[in-house]
Amino acid sequence: MEPIKVQSEGGLNVTLTIRLLMHGKEVGSIIGKKGETVKKMREDSGARINISEGNCPERIVTITGPTDAIFKAFAMIAYKFEEDIINSMSNSPATSKPPVTLRLVVPASQCGSLIGKGGSKIKEMRESTGAQVQVAGDMLPNSTERAVTISGAPEAIIQCVKQICVVMLE
């Protein structure tokens, strides 16, 4: 099925699909009570957000839409996770806020261009966004894909995801 192309500012005129690997608790946070949170995310971002079924420890969250809708959805997810971290800390003595972490699922064939020659591209992403980016050396079980872990402040994660999308579109 060919994705529909949509013109958007910045010359990124494509429909993208980005997949995230999430733990059950994270998925629960995104779905919200009676699905309210994910419904609001879909409405506000304009992206299609699908969550794989099943009781396995990890589920796939698929976000599809024009690039700007995807970035909006991503921002909402990153800020939701940050909110969860802050809420979980309200009764803990820790003073430093742990970073938000998102895990993308990327085809192994595209990981080379994400890393760049001698790691140049990934290093550039880390420096320009302030996010930590790691591409798993091994494929995910039973798949031709690798996990790309991004962690940092929500703003840094959003910038980093934008750069990853640009690389994947190239």
Side-chain angles (χ1 to χ4, degrees):
M1 194 174 95
E2 272 298 292
I4 316 124
K5 289 196 166 23
V6 186
Q7 192 67 45
S8 76
E9 23 67 73
L12 294 175
N13 61 339
V14 278
T15 294
L16 261 185
T17 296
I18 293 211
R19 287 167 319 156
L20 292 164
L21 201 55
M22 285 188 197
H23 296 294
K25 210 172 87 186
E26 296 170 324
V27 170
S29 163
I30 298 285
I31 294 173
K33 286 195 178 76
K34 296 190 180 132
E36 281 163 23
T37 308
V38 73
K39 187 169 170 257
K40 187 169 175 9
M41 283 180 180
R42 286 179 182 130
E43 286 166 3
D44 294 354
S45 70
R48 292 216 322 264
I49 303 173
N50 271 336
I51 299 166
S52 68
E53 289 300 315
N55 304 346
C56 41
E58 299 189 302
R59 289 161 71 182
I60 300 272
V61 177
T62 308
I63 305 171
T64 310
T67 42
D68 39 359
I70 286 185
F71 299 147
K72 269 188 205 140
F74 248 99
M76 294 162 111
I77 290 171
Y79 285 116
K80 179 72 179 100
F81 283 178
E82 184 184 49
E83 188 188 307
D84 295 344
I85 291 170
I86 293 168
N87 291 342
S88 70
M89 284 178 63
S90 59
N91 46 16
S92 99
T95 48
S96 67
K97 196 169 65 178
V100 173
T101 301
L102 291 175
R103 286 179 306 155
L104 302 180
V105 181
V106 178
S109 58
Q110 291 182 332
C111 288
S113 41
L114 273 184
I115 296 166
K117 203 172 191 133
S120 59
K121 192 77 196 153
I122 199 165
K123 182 172 182 273
E124 184 191 311
M125 275 185 216
R126 288 182 186 126
E127 286 168 2
S128 68
T129 64
Q132 282 299 313
V133 190
Q134 280 159 338
V135 177
D138 298 329
M139 306 245 194
L140 291 163
N142 309 321
S143 106
T144 57
E145 296 174 304
R146 285 156 63 172
V148 176
T149 306
I150 309 169
S151 56
E155 299 76 19
I157 289 178
I158 297 156
Q159 287 310 313
C160 192
V161 167
K162 284 186 180 174
Q163 291 194 16
I164 288 173
C165 288
V166 170
V167 171
M168 287 167 75
L169 291 170
E170 285 166 0

